[in-house]
Amino acid sequence: MAMVIQQQQQQQRESSSGSINKHQLDNGKYVRYTAEQVEALERVYSECPKPSSLRRQQLIRECPILSNIEPKQIKVWFQNRRCREKQRKEASRLQTVNRKLTAMNKLLMEENDRLQKQVSQLVCENGYMKQQLRTAPATTDASCDSVVTTPQHSLRDANNPAGLLSIAEETLAEFLSKATGTAVDWVQMPGMKPGPDSVGIFAISQSCSGVAARACGLVSLEPTKIAEILKDRPSWFRDCRSLEVFTMFPAGNAGTIELLYTQAYAPTTLAPARDFWTLRYTTTLDNGSLVVCERSLSGSGAGPNPASAAQFVRAEMLPSGCLIRPCDGGGSIIHIVDHLNLEAWSVPEVLRPLYESSKVVAQRMTIAALRYVRQIAQETSGEVVYGLGRQPAVLRTFSQRLSRGFNDAVNGFNDDGWSLMTCDGAEDVIIAVNSTKSLSTASNPTNSLAFLGGILCAKASMLLQNVPPALLVRFLREHRSEWADFNVDAYSAASLKAGSYAYPGMRPTRFTGSQIIMPLGHTIEHEELLEVIRLEGHSLAQEDAFVSRDIHLLQICSGVDENAVGACSELVFAPIDEMFPDDGPLLPSGFRIIPLDSKTPDTPDTLTAHRTLDLTSSLEVGPATNPAAGDSSSCHHTRSVLTIAFQFPFESNLQDNVATMARQYVRSVISSVQRVAMAICPSGLSPTLGPKLSPGSPEALTLAHWICQSYR
């Protein structure tokens, strides 16, 4: 009986094992594939990770080596393969995050050590001051001041390589004391909190001569590549007009010493531009870190052209630069310091906060440099995808050309061929003309624009009060029909097409007033947007009834974040051909709004994301009935300077006509901006625009004097 029971149990186990094996085979869990079969499946997976049922059956028919495998088993293989790929990507992502957090933790620990040293130093200084006050109340001692003093070095040192090396070593020591030491009292940049997802750690000077900013961050690039990017200042610093290397010779540790002449644009028509005569020292430290540091040399006459340099105010760069340390596992930690004396005395008093603000230097230079390096790193790794099939480098070039063209128009340098038509102090709109500027491209020197008489620019600057810059730029971007005349846009766009340029007497066109915004790309934190704007138009001529008269504009928009402290808000655009060639000519126009009074953490802006931009109904009513206005009691009174510049091509015999049209158009734009400012201004606060004051007023005459001086 026991034997029978054992035989029955053995049969049950065999039957159960057979069903299990069959089930496992049916589900493809324990099927063993040969190397040839795996290779064939991998080839299909590389083309299509998720093939359909028909595709799997076709695969079995086309590959004899897979004929002994069931379709269900192949389906399971692809499922497992996708799962392994997902796990691999997740593991790689976690490793990257872990490396980033490790490096960020190291950076924060170093920052903590630096702050502890600074606290200890302040405690000692405080104790010393108390002792001095008790022993000699009538005496004062300035030894505890944290102000960094930088001796000027004369040009005669530049003729002596040994003297330059001495200056370079001194510059290196002072720069490192700012980047990682306590030479400057750094405080955290308002609104910029560090974290694993932040761009970096940002600080501004609290009490030192000039204005200074510092940034620390992690970038997935090698030190030499980062140094190469940052040394090419015109590529990332939008205010840099030119950088020329006068002299370069080798130094120790495979380093170099360079003498540089740099020109920087003025951000507004109300102030002269700046230039710098500096020494730049590149070297490698004993710990493998790469350093690029720079400081000013004295001598106001240095530069390629004394006549050109006469249009600039010589500013001073105190020891500044970047410290780049390689990280374990790849990437680098960057410390960037910018320390400047922008000679605020040379601008009108109302604009001096712009030249005395470390927050502005941080936004325009220090943070911009770190963001640009990170942008390049993401593009190199393939993380950035842009529209219309354009390469990232091409789109970056478009943004740089738009910004540079707008800066050229605002500054109107004599050596670029610009001259003033009117500047008597009574005109609220400046008209400048450039008869030497050509819009033909390098790849197409016979461009249809070659017959143009030149370029005319109408520009104006004014003060705004109680108008949020970011909100104003957002409105101008999203409601173009409220301020722009599309026929003027059509006039500028017509110059891009052969045979269609004429003034007056262009083909009559009716515009619907609508615009379509087509995004092209954006920076990593969306602080700048690049887009194509299509303005819909239809011909009024019967023979051209079915011909599109749409206008296309290439546009950059930046500074639309209300919480960015010290940030500049811009809307710059240029007509482009509908084919949008990479090397097409650009004639930028637009708006720039720079805050003069930055918000503080204790005065939050109530006009943030909850504010609606549907303000078109308010434009006809006025501020008293604006439903979107917030409580003025909680709104910070802000001042900013608005700069408007519009460029127009013209034929030689039509210069006066185009000048009249340009002046009237810019005045109408100013009037529209004023209506928009009244609509978005908080209730109870009245927006103020200036210096478009009454002609002859003291402030208007003073500002007009500065405008004229800038172009002489």
Side-chain angles (χ1 to χ4, degrees):
M1 186 66 178
M3 290 289 294
V4 173
I5 293 175
Q6 290 178 356
Q7 290 177 355
Q8 291 177 347
Q9 291 176 346
Q10 180 68 21
Q11 291 175 355
Q12 290 177 355
R13 283 195 297 269
E14 292 176 355
S15 175
S16 175
S17 175
S19 63
I20 291 173
N21 290 334
K22 183 176 184 298
H23 176 72
Q24 291 172 339
L25 289 173
D26 288 344
N27 287 276
K29 293 183 178 179
Y30 294 99
V31 175
R32 292 185 179 276
Y33 297 92
T34 65
E36 293 80 6
Q37 290 174 333
V38 172
E39 183 180 356
L41 291 172
E42 286 288 352
R43 284 198 302 268
V44 177
Y45 180 84
S46 63
E47 299 175 359
C48 179
K50 194 174 183 180
S52 63
S53 176
L54 295 177
R55 181 70 180 92
R56 293 194 298 270
Q57 294 176 4
Q58 180 185 2
L59 176 63
I60 294 175
R61 290 194 302 268
E62 294 177 352
C63 297
I65 59 176
L66 300 176
S67 59
N68 63 331
I69 302 179
E70 297 291 332
K72 183 181 294 186
Q73 296 168 358
I74 292 180
K75 178 182 179 180
V76 171
W77 184 92
F78 277 96
Q79 289 175 344
N80 292 339
R81 181 65 177 82
R82 291 194 299 270
C83 183
R84 289 196 302 272
E85 181 70 15
K86 183 178 180 181
Q87 291 174 346
R88 184 190 65 78
K89 290 182 178 179
E90 181 65 14
S92 177
R93 187 189 68 83
L94 291 176
Q95 289 176 357
T96 301
V97 172
N98 181 62
R99 287 197 301 269
K100 181 177 179 181
L101 291 175
T102 301
M104 204 71 181
N105 180 62
K106 181 179 179 181
L107 190 61
L108 290 172
M109 290 177 64
E110 292 175 353
E111 181 70 6
N112 183 57
D113 292 340
R114 187 193 66 81
L115 291 174
Q116 288 181 351
K117 292 179 182 178
Q118 185 173 348
V119 168
S120 300
Q121 178 181 340
L122 292 174
V123 169
C124 293
E125 291 174 354
N126 186 45
Y128 179 78
M129 288 293 294
K130 287 182 177 179
Q131 181 180 0
Q132 291 295 312
L133 289 173
R134 285 196 298 267
T135 57
T139 62
T140 58
D141 184 76
S143 61
C144 63
D145 194 357
S146 62
V147 173
V148 177
T149 58
T150 304
Q152 286 284 313
H153 300 279
S154 65
L155 285 176
R156 60 176 178 268
D157 293 331
N159 299 322
N160 181 2
L164 285 178
L165 182 59
S166 175
I167 297 173
E169 293 294 343
E170 181 182 327
T171 302
L172 173 63
E174 291 192 35
F175 161 70
L176 292 177
S177 69
K178 298 176 185 178
T180 60
T182 59
V184 174
D185 290 338
W186 299 112
V187 295
Q188 182 177 303
M189 178 81 172
M192 307 289 287
K193 295 184 178 180
D197 296 325
S198 65
V199 175
I201 302 173
F202 305 106
I204 56 177
S205 60
Q206 188 174 27
S207 59
C208 71
S209 61
V211 289
R214 186 180 68 124
C216 310
L218 175 66
V219 178
S220 57
L221 290 175
E222 295 304 312
T224 53
K225 179 63 176 178
I226 296 173
E228 177 186 345
I229 294 172
L230 293 179
K231 291 173 76 170
D232 184 15
R233 189 172 292 143
S235 67
W236 57 266
F237 183 33
R238 294 291 178 82
D239 291 344
C240 182
R241 185 195 184 205
S242 65
L243 185 150
E244 183 174 352
V245 179
F246 267 58
T247 306
M248 180 176 66
F249 57 88
N253 293 331
T256 58
I257 293 178
E258 302 164 286
L259 298 184
L260 309 178
Y261 176 68
T262 306
Q263 293 180 346
Y265 291 109
T268 172
T269 62
L270 303 178
R274 299 295 189 266
D275 66 352
F276 299 86
W277 173 243
T278 58
L279 176 146
R280 184 167 68 187
Y281 181 36
T282 305
T283 187
T284 303
L285 303 181
D286 294 337
N287 61 3
S289 299
L290 185 61
V291 178
V292 180
C293 54
E294 189 173 353
R295 81 169 332 143
S296 282
L297 298 172
S298 63
S300 60
N305 185 347
S308 174
Q311 301 180 75
F312 296 83
V313 171
R314 179 60 50 86
E316 180 186 4
M317 178 181 294
L318 290 85
S320 306
C322 60
L323 167 65
I324 312 169
R325 295 185 300 176
C327 293
D328 297 335
S332 307
I333 293 178
I334 315 177
H335 296 256
I336 302 175
V337 173
D338 291 304
H339 193 176
L340 307 172
N341 179 2
L342 296 175
E343 306 295 344
W345 59 266
S346 63
V347 301
E349 186 175 356
V350 70
L351 293 180
R352 289 180 187 174
L354 181 62
Y355 290 80
E356 297 171 343
S357 171
S358 295
K359 300 172 187 175
V360 174
V361 171
Q363 289 286 358
R364 301 291 288 181
M365 291 189 66
T366 319
I367 299 176
L370 185 56
R371 281 174 172 166
Y372 184 81
V373 173
R374 290 199 58 179
Q375 183 82 20
I376 298 296
Q378 291 195 1
E379 292 175 0
T380 304
S381 63
E383 299 178 32
V384 180
V385 179
Y386 288 120
L388 300 184
R390 302 286 174 151
Q391 293 296 323
V394 175
L395 297 181
R396 271 202 319 275
T397 301
F398 276 129
S399 297
Q400 292 166 357
R401 289 177 59 195
L402 284 172
S403 180
R404 183 178 183 84
F406 183 72
N407 278 324
D408 283 336
V410 169
N411 286 262
F413 293 111
N414 295 337
D415 56 351
D416 279 342
W418 289 99
S419 60
L420 291 181
M421 290 183 62
T422 57
C423 187
D424 56 5
E427 287 287 348
D428 53 348
V429 177
I430 302 171
I431 302 295
V433 63
N434 191 332
S435 300
T436 63
K437 190 171 183 179
S438 174
L439 294 184
S440 59
T441 62
S443 61
N444 185 15
T446 59
N447 188 281
S448 62
L449 301 178
F451 64 87
L452 292 180
I455 307 299
L456 187 144
C457 180
K459 49 193 172 183
S461 291
M462 62 200 69
L463 300 177
L464 299 178
Q465 188 165 345
N466 306 327
V467 180
L471 194 61
L472 178 56
V473 165
R474 284 168 54 195
F475 187 91
L476 295 175
R477 170 179 175 262
E478 298 175 14
H479 299 276
R480 187 180 185 88
S481 60
E482 292 297 328
W483 58 267
D485 185 340
F486 289 179
N487 288 292
V488 175
D489 292 325
Y491 163 76
S492 298
S495 62
L496 300 175
K497 300 180 180 180
S500 62
Y501 180 88
Y503 177 86
M506 292 184 300
R507 292 181 179 272
T509 304
R510 177 180 60 85
F511 293 97
T512 62
S514 62
Q515 65 174 4
I516 299 175
I517 300 178
M518 297 175 284
L520 279 179
H522 55 77
T523 49
I524 55 177
E525 290 191 319
H526 295 257
E527 69 275 2
E528 180 178 282
L529 309 174
L530 178 65
E531 51 204 11
V532 172
I533 311 298
R534 191 179 76 189
L535 308 177
E536 297 181 341
H538 304 283
S539 175
L540 296 179
Q542 186 174 0
E543 63 272 17
D544 295 334
F546 298 100
V547 178
S548 173
R549 293 295 177 186
D550 293 350
I551 302 171
H552 294 82
L553 305 173
L554 183 65
Q555 178 172 279
I556 53 173
C557 180
S558 61
V560 294
D561 181 7
E562 296 93 338
N563 297 317
V565 178
C568 167
S569 300
E570 290 184 340
L571 184 70
V572 179
F573 49 87
I576 56 172
D577 186 83
E578 57 188 6
M579 301 305 295
F580 194 13
D582 291 348
D583 62 345
L586 297 177
L587 196 62
S589 304
F591 307 85
R592 173 181 291 152
I593 311 175
I594 308 175
L596 298 177
D597 300 325
S598 300
K599 294 173 292 187
T600 63
D602 297 329
T603 56
D605 191 353
T606 59
L607 304 172
T608 51
H610 68 277
R611 283 290 307 273
T612 177
L613 287 180
D614 186 18
L615 301 174
T616 53
S617 59
S618 302
L619 295 179
E620 298 178 357
V621 178
T625 59
N626 180 9
D631 183 8
S632 62
S633 62
S634 60
C635 178
H636 184 53
H637 292 242
T638 60
R639 292 188 306 163
S640 55
V641 56
L642 167 66
T643 298
I644 302 175
F646 283 78
Q647 298 191 76
F648 304 91
F650 66 88
E651 290 183 351
S652 299
N653 60 330
L654 296 174
Q655 176 176 324
D656 292 338
N657 293 341
V658 175
T660 301
M661 180 268 290
R663 183 181 290 106
Q664 293 175 351
Y665 181 59
V666 170
R667 284 174 177 169
S668 70
V669 170
I670 292 174
S671 177
S672 299
V673 170
Q674 186 172 15
R675 291 190 297 113
V676 172
M678 293 176 65
I680 67 178
C681 182
S683 61
L685 295 177
S686 176
T688 303
L689 276 75
K692 190 173 178 294
L693 309 171
S694 59
S697 65
E699 187 174 6
L701 290 176
T702 301
L703 292 170
H705 169 73
W706 285 102
I707 294 171
C708 295
Q709 287 293 110
S710 300
Y711 297 98
R712 288 177 180 171

